[in-house]
Amino acid sequence: MLALLAAALFGLSTPLVQRFGAGLGPFTTAALLYLGAAVVALVSRQHASQEAPLTRSDMPRLLAMAATGAVIGPVALAWGLQRTSGASASLMLTLEALFTAVLAWRWYGEAMDKRVATAMLLLLAGGVFLVLEQGLAGQVQLLGLLAVMVATAAWGVDNTLSRGVAERDPGQVVWVKALLGCVATLSLAWLMGEPWPAWGAALALLCIGASGYGLSLRFYLLAQRAFGAGRTGSVFAFAPFIGMLGAFALGDRSASVFMLAGGALMVWGIVLHLSETHEHEHEHLVLEHEHAHSHDDGHHDHSHEVVPTGPHSHRHQHLPVRHSHPHVPDAHHLHRH
């Protein structure tokens, strides 16, 4: 549900960014979106007793997340949205799930069985149909769609990097990433001489950034914490279809046979990935880390003088154990396959 909520908020933001960002520079658009995200994140940070705080060692990862997810991704999307249809651009964002799943498999060893591999091929085939559809529409629209594809690749890298800080306070993670992205894109907008938008458009983009980028990223990180980067990416792949419905509601009637075929392949791929089950005997080595947890999940049986009720955060140790049960690649199941 967290991943679906993140998908809905982000999906609806795409056609809205196209409408209210019309005529604006891509750097200015990205800066306003992440300024809105930073404001939401600032007020949603948690106390250290409830969520693990960021550490200095997390900064290189956060800088890379900001560069890919808060600069390259939104700038490429804003540029592409001004040169292609909102419906096809929304569907192309489904490829973010493909990049995320492949990178999660390579970087974290998340399971990639035949079912998941087939699902990824279906997503790729759907993307090819969209490229063909926009190629027939004209060179300018194809360039816009390819820019949206660059955004999906950047967000795929960002999603996979964010897996490493998913156990941290999501409010802090979103705030630092959004602040870095806002400063970088605002500086680039000033250097490029982009004009400042009218107050109405600026306020609209701030609100879109607060919900579609700030709250959406917070829910995305919490979902990653629960069942890994690849599966979260697959659920999040419903965002483009929500975005396409939003574009249709706003008057976009650019649907074609190629677009419908590509969308159908992508839905098939998403459903195939989410229907995967994973169970085998596995071993937990000694692990010491800090994150929000409770004592009723079967993996946290360490003792307290007074056992806390509900989620809490502190550094704790897991003893080695070998067992078999259905599991997902959360923080305690990052074993290789």
Side-chain angles (χ1 to χ4, degrees):
M1 291 306 297
L2 285 168
L4 279 173
L5 188 55
L9 290 173
F10 181 74
L12 290 173
S13 73
T14 302
L16 292 173
V17 168
Q18 185 180 42
R19 166 159 293 194
F20 292 102
L24 301 182
F27 295 112
T28 303
T29 302
L32 288 168
L33 291 173
Y34 274 97
L35 179 58
V39 172
V40 166
L42 186 62
V43 299
S44 63
R45 292 181 299 168
Q46 299 292 316
H47 191 271
S49 63
Q50 296 176 292
E51 290 281 2
L54 288 170
T55 64
R56 185 175 297 179
S57 62
D58 295 323
M59 283 308 299
R61 183 180 295 270
L62 288 166
L63 286 169
M65 287 170 58
T68 55
V71 178
I72 297 175
V75 168
L77 177 65
W79 191 89
L81 283 174
Q82 295 185 9
R83 292 163 177 83
T84 190
S85 75
S88 56
S90 292
L91 284 177
M92 180 58 80
L93 288 173
T94 309
L95 289 184
E96 184 180 334
L98 170 64
F99 289 114
T100 302
V102 171
L103 289 172
W105 168 56
R106 296 300 301 165
W107 291 359
Y108 298 114
E110 293 192 7
M112 177 73 78
D113 58 16
K114 290 182 179 179
R115 177 184 289 269
V116 177
T118 303
M120 295 303 104
L121 288 175
L122 288 169
L123 291 177
L124 181 60
V128 170
F129 270 92
L130 294 179
V131 170
L132 289 174
E133 186 260 343
Q134 289 294 279
L136 293 173
Q139 184 179 7
V140 174
Q141 290 203 0
L142 179 59
L143 288 175
L145 197 64
L146 292 176
V148 177
M149 187 185 296
V150 170
T152 66
W155 276 320
V157 174
D158 174 32
N159 294 339
T160 314
L161 287 170
S162 68
R163 181 66 189 90
V165 289
E167 303 301 325
R168 308 295 190 196
D169 177 5
Q172 286 191 22
V173 175
V174 178
W175 182 67
V176 173
K177 175 188 171 182
L179 188 63
L180 289 171
C182 180
V183 170
T185 50
L186 196 60
S187 301
L188 289 168
W190 178 74
L191 288 173
M192 297 296 292
E194 292 183 357
W196 187 254
W199 285 108
L203 184 60
L205 289 171
L206 284 172
C207 293
I208 296 167
S211 60
Y213 288 73
L215 286 176
S216 177
L217 179 55
R218 177 182 179 83
F219 296 143
Y220 190 97
L221 289 168
L222 291 171
Q224 269 196 340
R225 178 187 297 180
F227 62 178
R231 284 172 177 254
T232 304
S234 281
V235 179
F236 196 74
F238 280 109
F241 301 97
I242 298 170
M244 187 178 70
L245 292 175
F248 185 84
L250 291 173
D252 190 330
R253 299 294 186 270
S254 58
S256 67
V257 174
F258 277 114
M259 188 185 298
L260 293 175
L265 287 171
M266 288 174 162
V267 169
W268 186 11
I270 295 166
V271 172
L272 195 63
H273 190 187
L274 292 179
S275 62
E276 175 234 4
T277 58
H278 187 70
E279 179 178 0
H280 61 90
E281 187 177 37
H282 56 278
E283 183 178 9
H284 295 272
L285 302 177
V286 175
L287 174 65
E288 185 173 338
H289 59 176
E290 180 180 0
H291 65 99
H293 61 278
S294 57
H295 288 266
D296 56 0
D297 61 2
H299 280 89
H300 294 89
D301 53 2
H302 52 270
S303 60
H304 290 265
E305 290 185 7
V306 178
V307 179
T309 57
H312 58 283
S313 178
H314 63 89
R315 194 158 192 85
H316 57 278
Q317 187 180 68
H318 296 269
L319 297 177
V321 62
R322 190 176 188 87
H323 58 184
S324 176
H325 64 94
H327 59 278
V328 293
D330 57 21
H332 303 95
H333 297 91
L334 294 178
H335 49 266
R336 292 281 172 178
H337 296 86

